[in-house]
Amino acid sequence: MPVLPPLAAPLLRPHPRLPRPPPTAFPPWNCQTKSRHLQPGLFATGADVPGRGGPLPEPEQRAPLLLAALRATRLRDEESRRPDPLFIDPYAAVLLSLDVAHQASESLVSHLMPSAEHYRLTTRYLDDKLQHLISRSDNFRQIVLLTDGMDTRPYRLSWPRMSIVYDVSPGRIFSTAAQQLRGAGAKIPRNCVLFHTPLESPDLQEGLCKNGFNGNRPSLWVLQGLPLPSSSSFKSLLLVISNLAMKGGIFIGEVPHFPDWMAAADMVSEQDRLENLFFTQGFRVSFVLYENVAEDFGLDLAPQREHCGRVLFVAEQLRFSDAQMESFWTHFERTEEDADEEGFEEL
């Protein structure tokens, strides 16, 4: 067999580098200038600017967001007093002392609140789903609650040790509610911590990062009560969650009806629109029927028009977060630099 002559040693050259992705694809994970975030003031109203608490406005000055939060609190209190409650909220009555106008709920914008029956079912379903997910896995220790500002889950649910709970909600409402709850002795479990990020933050993504949210750790997101006036506001929210949530993160909740979708000329259903919206932001989503939830609890749910367009969902993040991508490129560059140094030493 002929023997091939030895080849001359090739000149050592630097390893070719893969180009970094463009800034618009994976922005640096420094929470400074983000190209993808909620627009300033997208949800803000005059009565919901961040504050340090204090008395709520007079009834005639109350914004719909505050009225919706108070009505939801009243529904939780009424449910807690039933002989066979779906859930018990011992802190709802504390917050209701803020409400001096019981008839104020009549002035709510219809799309801000579901019917009482659907609110009860949604709250119980999300409570159970949330507790099931955090008890089944040791990974979910970052929980983000997207709320109306009067959500009492941080105080009434059981949280594993070292849990970090983030509440995103209208600042003025949360501050006043938190002050009232602290005065009543409400506390989150030991070895857990609660952070609040005002919904009116100029950059919601940056605000969560400043409070310690880590995109390299799994997270669980829960949506109920957060003001979402339009489909564009929900799209912006999905974008922020997609940027922050580590691959495999879970997003559960209830999406309200969006009036701006009613004006569309095509015949695409709202559920189809939602599925496409989730998919374009990197989520795999499944929808849950209210009727099935009621059946699981042994209840009959009468058909009502009030919940038209509202959807319960469970979604999983399929993309890498910004933090994961930044970590990948940092590791890749270090590997390339080490390879270059080894090649130089061989010379």
Side-chain angles (χ1 to χ4, degrees):
M1 177 181 295
V3 178
L4 293 176
L7 295 176
L11 295 175
L12 291 176
R13 296 178 180 176
H15 294 280
R17 296 180 182 273
L18 292 176
R20 287 185 65 98
T24 54
F26 306 111
W29 186 247
N30 55 16
C31 285
Q32 295 300 318
T33 303
K34 285 289 181 179
S35 59
R36 304 183 295 173
H37 56 76
L38 286 176
Q39 295 300 318
L42 187 58
F43 304 112
T45 65
D48 294 317
V49 294
R52 293 187 294 271
L56 297 178
E58 293 300 318
E60 64 273 10
Q61 299 174 339
R62 295 183 177 185
L65 303 188
L66 175 58
L67 295 176
L70 287 169
R71 184 187 175 210
T73 302
R74 182 168 299 282
L75 292 177
R76 295 198 304 274
D77 180 62
E78 292 173 354
E79 180 63 24
S80 301
R81 299 174 187 277
R82 292 165 59 95
D84 54 344
L86 288 176
F87 57 86
I88 295 178
D89 185 349
Y91 301 107
V94 174
L95 296 176
L96 285 179
S97 62
L98 299 170
D99 185 13
V100 297
H102 299 281
Q103 73 280 8
S105 61
E106 299 300 324
S107 63
L108 291 180
V109 178
S110 61
H111 76 274
L112 288 180
M113 276 295 298
S115 68
E117 280 189 313
H118 289 87
Y119 182 81
R120 294 169 55 214
L121 288 173
T122 299
T123 301
R124 171 62 186 271
Y125 173 79
L126 294 179
D127 283 356
D128 287 358
K129 192 71 174 176
L130 175 57
Q131 295 281 267
H132 172 72
L133 288 169
I134 62 178
S135 62
R136 186 184 64 177
S137 172
D138 293 333
N139 293 327
F140 293 121
R141 294 299 178 264
Q142 290 188 122
I143 301 94
V144 184
L145 305 177
L146 307 164
T147 78
D148 57 18
M150 292 190 177
D151 194 306
T152 58
R153 285 188 175 98
Y155 308 99
R156 64 182 178 84
L157 296 186
S158 298
W159 301 101
R161 292 180 68 256
M162 309 305 293
S163 293
I164 305 175
V165 182
Y166 300 90
D167 184 294
V168 177
S169 58
R172 174 73 177 278
I173 298 176
F174 177 89
S175 298
T176 304
Q179 181 178 349
Q180 194 81 357
L181 289 168
R182 286 194 298 269
K187 297 180 180 179
I188 64 172
R190 294 182 60 183
N191 300 313
C192 299
V193 65
L194 171 64
F195 291 106
H196 178 248
T197 301
L199 182 62
E200 308 82 9
S201 301
D203 190 329
L204 186 59
Q205 184 169 336
E206 180 182 353
L208 283 165
C209 294
K210 287 183 176 180
N211 278 335
F213 185 90
N214 188 342
N216 282 308
R217 296 178 56 194
S219 57
L220 175 58
W221 302 67
V222 184
L223 172 63
Q224 186 185 22
L226 187 78
L228 294 170
S230 66
S231 59
S232 61
S233 62
F234 182 61
K235 182 178 180 180
S236 297
L237 178 66
L238 273 178
L239 187 58
V240 169
I241 298 175
S242 180
N243 291 345
L244 290 173
M246 180 179 175
K247 183 179 180 181
I250 302 297
F251 183 23
I252 63 175
E254 180 185 53
V255 180
H257 169 64
F258 298 123
D260 56 317
W261 276 357
M262 294 180 62
D266 57 70
M267 300 300 293
V268 179
S269 69
E270 288 199 24
Q271 185 165 306
D272 290 337
R273 292 175 184 270
L274 282 173
E275 186 172 8
N276 181 66
L277 199 55
F278 274 100
F279 178 77
T280 56
Q281 299 302 332
F283 291 93
R284 176 174 55 203
V285 66
S286 59
F287 300 105
V288 182
L289 296 177
Y290 291 95
E291 291 77 8
N292 293 344
V293 176
E295 185 178 348
D296 290 342
F297 297 137
L299 302 174
D300 293 325
L301 185 63
Q304 297 185 24
R305 298 181 59 185
E306 291 183 58
H307 83 286
C308 179
R310 289 184 170 271
V311 178
L312 282 173
F313 68 89
V314 178
E316 179 184 1
Q317 166 73 299
L318 301 180
R319 294 178 181 173
F320 293 108
S321 67
D322 286 359
Q324 286 180 289
M325 291 306 303
E326 184 68 15
S327 297
F328 166 77
W329 284 108
T330 300
H331 175 75
F332 179 80
E333 288 182 338
R334 288 175 180 172
T335 303
E336 288 289 282
E337 290 173 359
D338 292 343
D340 289 347
E341 291 177 1
E342 290 177 2
F344 181 79
E345 289 175 357
E346 292 179 5
L347 285 175

